[in-house]
Amino acid sequence: MNNDTLEPLNKIKRIPAPGYLLTRIEGALEEVQLLIPKRLIFVYAAIFFVFLSLQIGVFSNSQNNTDIESYANSLGINSSITLYHD
Amino acid sequence: MQKKEEFITIYESHKDLVYNVCLNYLQNKEEAEEVFQDVFLKVHAKLNDFNQQSSYKTWIYRICINKCIDYLRAKNRKKRFAFLQSLSNSKLEIHSNFSHPGVLMEDKESMRILFGHINSLPEKQKTAIVLKSIEGLSQKEIAQILTTTEKAVESLLSRARKKLKEKIESSKDDKE
């Protein structure tokens, strides 16, 4: 009986895969490959941002140094860290 | 370049297999084409990782079945969000969009009902039935695809056939 129940399934014909499906897959693969440079752009942007924020930090530190320099000058102290002049 | 050539070779030798499994699992041409594409994108992405422990055929069957199951799960989730799921979930799940090009016109209605019963089976039982009764695979091949034992496949098939018999008989009783 069990075989009778499923017997109609034997009548299902095998269908060849349509040719346009390969074109679609190739298109999708190209899209995926185009996504990689976008990811690279994002990574480069992130690195640039980190670099920029470090630069800002250094710049602000150097500004603090000028404050220290003027304070040292007012006290008549040499603020330079070099021991000898060329 | 070498990878592309390898992919095309695999594609050419397995495209009909994948297309027919998708059709038999989803019973809808458009959905089968969508999943077919996903299967080969996955094959392309994982080609370098393929460890040759199983044959390409078994590996591709496995990807194909998993993609079909994922697709149906996602579709069911969407359905649940869209409306209240039909109250008789365990009953017959008849396809509203049944379009299997391999089914003859005169068999379409009876096949739609039969596939409705098959679709209401648990995933593993449905997979075993599709692979055995439509794809004509041996229990050993099915066991390799489902990464289980032949005994387990035999038990799955036996339970699936029993359930199908019950479902078909109860739907006949409902008609009478």
Side-chain angles (χ1 to χ4, degrees), chain B residues 23-95:
Chain B
L23 276 176
N24 294 327
Y25 215 95
L26 305 166
Q27 304 111 43
N28 182 277
K29 192 172 170 279
E30 283 74 31
E31 290 174 356
E33 288 181 0
E34 201 179 320
V35 175
F36 176 92
Q37 184 177 315
D38 288 347
V39 170
F40 280 105
L41 288 178
K42 176 107 184 195
V43 168
H44 185 272
K46 297 282 172 189
L47 202 54
N48 292 337
D49 301 339
F50 179 61
N51 54 15
Q52 312 273 348
Q53 277 183 344
S54 57
S55 66
Y56 275 129
K57 191 179 164 190
T58 305
W59 181 56
I60 289 170
Y61 259 123
R62 208 176 286 152
I63 292 175
C64 190
I65 295 294
N66 287 336
K67 285 284 173 191
C68 287
I69 289 172
D70 289 347
Y71 182 88
L72 288 176
R73 281 182 188 165
K75 193 178 155 186
N76 285 337
R77 267 198 301 272
K78 274 185 201 166
K79 259 192 204 170
R80 258 179 246 136
F81 272 113
F83 333 99
L84 293 163
Q85 187 82 321
S86 69
L87 294 169
S88 54
N89 203 13
S90 60
K91 272 198 159 188
L92 191 59
E93 284 181 28
I94 292 180
H95 243 290

Side-chain angles (χ1 to χ4, degrees), chain A residues 1 5 8 13-15 17 20, chain B residues 16 20 33 102 111 135 168:
Chain A
M1 169 280 79
T5 313
K13 285 184 180 172
R14 307 281 301 169
I15 305 292
Y20 56 80
Chain B
D16 293 342
N20 283 280
E33 288 181 0
M111 283 293 201
E135 291 296 310
I168 290 167

